[in-house]
């Protein structure tokens, strides 16, 4: 697909000695303020800290490709069709009237950030998040991808049964131009046996090194054919089972490369795609829950300074849970149990009806309240000294059932049962009905667009005494935890804590984008409204 949409000029200018604009870069100075805390005999001693940094963002948004693994599935075809509808401004009839294409559900394209106050009125000023820094427009993404099902994309869209017929009808010729997906890697042991009937488009043989080489060649060809500066490789294929972590097989960068050479059975297709992207120097994002990023792959990404992000799109139930559980715990209310049921009838649901694939999803959905519970030891007892485990924790179960009749319209039912004042109990029940792929697709776009942006941002630490910089600018750490807002089980730098709170994830992203233009993070203090 060749982009048609005009690029918009960058809409914000910051006038400050901390922000410098050149033809090529925006360079900003940022003071990272924190507090060091030491605890002794139950007493906390807090020392405020400040460390200056500089961020340098390349202003030119390169021509960007998005290669989807699983492009013939519900998410893949919905993403392609909705980008085409937006690009060609296709409107369609529904029983409610005429529908315009849009990007509702995308944090970048459909939400705003408070950038300051109007000097004249004192009112808040909000801008679209996508205006804070130069970002690729979704209409400009060049699309391609692989699927083990060889159905042409117009027919695959029909099979997905997500979009209104009148939209499908009009977008089908454009989808047909995209052709059929590239053949992919299929190891039946990793996805449910019920997917076998789809697998008619697979790279032949069992040699994993040859498979890796083929995928690398596909990425290179796509990049060259479309004259791209950057390709984001994105897993939106079936959920795989977990890979066993085996010393000497996938625990180090050299081990995983050797295991690919020897076609070891524990190397999954998604891990092969990740390695291909890393070796090609292109970012890889995992939209599904399995442990694609075994320790050896994280180490390989570090070695090649190649960006990775994951895991599992956070579209409905988990997103709400990360808000609701935090709300309860921060309100001083103690959730005792969270019971979550889902049923869905799309192909994802079919695949998840198999035990080992369900288990991947269960793990990904289960850790989401951990950090909120850990942050409140008034409500939940910490593990006793020497005791293993997480300490006191609400009971938390997740059930997923396949009900073909409901198709892509997933039902999520959650019960939050909490202890309230003086022995009282509160029960909140949520019934969440959502069109799965229509929630997931904008997240894929946000992830791809943010990832492209983060490849253009470099940083350096400045001496704290205000003297001149001594270091060169360097890229960010390869694991892009700034993507956490869109992901159920965020992958973070090894040894650092996972933040699941949706509010904290969003604040981190907002503060980072603002830091890159030299504007301090959002202050809800609003001091001027509280003083004379
Ligand atoms: P889907 O089943 O409709 O699509 C997956 C596609 O991947 C299928 O076309 C299948 O043929 C293909 N595939 C399977 N193995 C492959 C391989 N090795 N190489 C290339 N293609 C392969 O599923 P859907 O609904 O599009 O979801 C995709 C993934 O995203 C699933 O893992 C799902 O768990 C995850 N996800 C989806 C969310 C949603 O709301 N739709 C939310 C969170 C995660």
């Amino acid at each position: 697909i060749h982009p048609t949409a005009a690029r918009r000029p960058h809409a914000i200018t910051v006038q400050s000695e901390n922000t410098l604009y050149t033809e090529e870069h925006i360079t900003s100075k940022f003071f990272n303020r924190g507090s060091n805390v030491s605890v002794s005999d139950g007493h906390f001693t807090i020392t405020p800290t400040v460390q200056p940094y500089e961020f340098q963002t390349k202003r030119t948004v390169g021509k960007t490709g998005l290669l989807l693994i699983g492009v013939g599935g519900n998410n893949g075809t919905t993403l392609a069709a909705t980008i085409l509808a937006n690009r060609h401004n296709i409107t369609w009839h529904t029983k409610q009237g005429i529908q315009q294409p849009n990007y509702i559900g995308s944090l970048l394209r459909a939400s705003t950030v408070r950038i300051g106050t109007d000097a004249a009125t004192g009112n808040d000023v909000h801008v679209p998040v996508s205006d804070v820094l130069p970002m690729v427009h979704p209409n400009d993404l060049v699309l391609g991808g692989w699927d083990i099902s060889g159905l042409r994309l117009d027919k695959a869209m029909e099979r997905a049964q997500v979009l209104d017929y009148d939209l499908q009808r009009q977008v089908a010729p454009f989808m047909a131009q995209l052709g059929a997906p590239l053949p992919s890697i299929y190891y039946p042991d990793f996805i449910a046996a019920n997917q076998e009937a789809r697998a008619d488009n697979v790279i032949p043989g069992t040699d994993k090194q040859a498979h890796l080489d083929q995928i690398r060649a596909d990425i290179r060809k796509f990049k060259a054919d479309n004259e791209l500066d950057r390709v984001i490789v994105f897993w939106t294929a079936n959920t795989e089972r977990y890979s066993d972590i085996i010393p000497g097989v996938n625990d180090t960068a050299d081990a995983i490369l050797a295991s690919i050479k020897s076609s070891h059975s524990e190397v999954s297709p998604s891990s092969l795609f990740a390695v291909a992207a890393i070796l090609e120097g292109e970012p890889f994002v995992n939209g599904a829950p399995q442990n694609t990023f075994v320790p050896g792959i994280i180490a390989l990404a570090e070695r090649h300074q190649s960006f990775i992000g994951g895991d599992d799109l956070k579209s409905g139930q988990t997103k709400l849970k990360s808000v609701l559980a935090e709300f309860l715990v921060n309100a001083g209310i103690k959730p005792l149990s969270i019971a979550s049921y889902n049923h869905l009838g799309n192909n994802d649901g079919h695949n998840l009806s198999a035990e080992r694939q369900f288990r991947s999803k269960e793990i990904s959905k289960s850790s989401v309240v951990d950090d909120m519970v850990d942050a409140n030891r008034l409500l939940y007892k910490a593990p006793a000294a020497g005791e293993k485990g997480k300490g006191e924790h609400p009971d938390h179960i997740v059930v997923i059932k396949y009900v073909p009749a409901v198709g892509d319209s997933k039902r999520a039912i959650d019960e939050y049962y909490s202890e309230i004042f003086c022995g009282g109990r509160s029960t909140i029940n949520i019934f969440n009905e959502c069109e799965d792929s229509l929630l997931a697709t904008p997240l894929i776009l946000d992830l791809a667009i943010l990832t492209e942006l983060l490849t253009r941002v470099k940083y350096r630490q400045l001496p704290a005494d205000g003297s001149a910089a001594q270091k060169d600018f360097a890229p960010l750490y390869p694991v892009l935890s700034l993507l956490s807002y869109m992901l159920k089980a965020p992958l973070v730098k090894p040894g650092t804590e996972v933040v699941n709170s949706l509010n904290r994830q969003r604040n981190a992203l907002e503060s980072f984008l603002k830091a890159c233009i030299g504007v301090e993070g959002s202050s809800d203090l609003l001091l001027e409204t509280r003083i004379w």
Side-chain angles (χ1 to χ4, degrees), residues 68-78 145-150 156 159-160 162 181-187 190-191 195 198-202 215 234-240 268-270 273 286-290 311-316 344 346-352 357 361 364-365 408 410 434-441 443-444 486 488:
L68 299 170
I69 309 137
V71 67
N74 283 25
N75 288 348
T77 54
T78 304
W146 302 262
D147 204 294
I148 55 170
S149 157
R159 173 179 62 188
V162 173
L182 294 165
S184 193
I185 305 168
Y186 176 51
Y187 304 148
F190 281 89
I191 59 174
Q195 298 296 305
R198 271 174 105 97
D200 59 7
N201 189 41
V202 304
I215 299 303
F234 197 109
W235 182 274
T236 181
N238 287 152
T239 295
E240 296 174 332
S268 65
S270 67
F273 274 96
N286 177 27
Q290 72 278 340
D311 297 309
D312 205 7
L313 303 169
K314 181 165 57 187
S315 51
L344 71 170
N346 56 19
N347 189 54
D348 182 30
H350 198 199
N351 182 60
L352 293 175
Q357 286 66 31
K361 202 55 133 185
S364 148
K365 278 177 169 272
D408 203 55
K410 181 163 76 182
C434 49
E435 295 180 277
D436 224 12
S437 307
L438 296 179
L439 286 180
T441 296
L443 304 186
I444 298 178
M486 293 95 194
K488 263 207 266 296

Side-chain angles (χ1 to χ4, degrees), residues 122-137:
N123 294 337
D124 286 345
V125 178
H126 296 92
V127 297
V129 180
S130 55
D131 279 353
V132 179
L133 283 168
M135 298 183 202
V136 64
H137 191 290

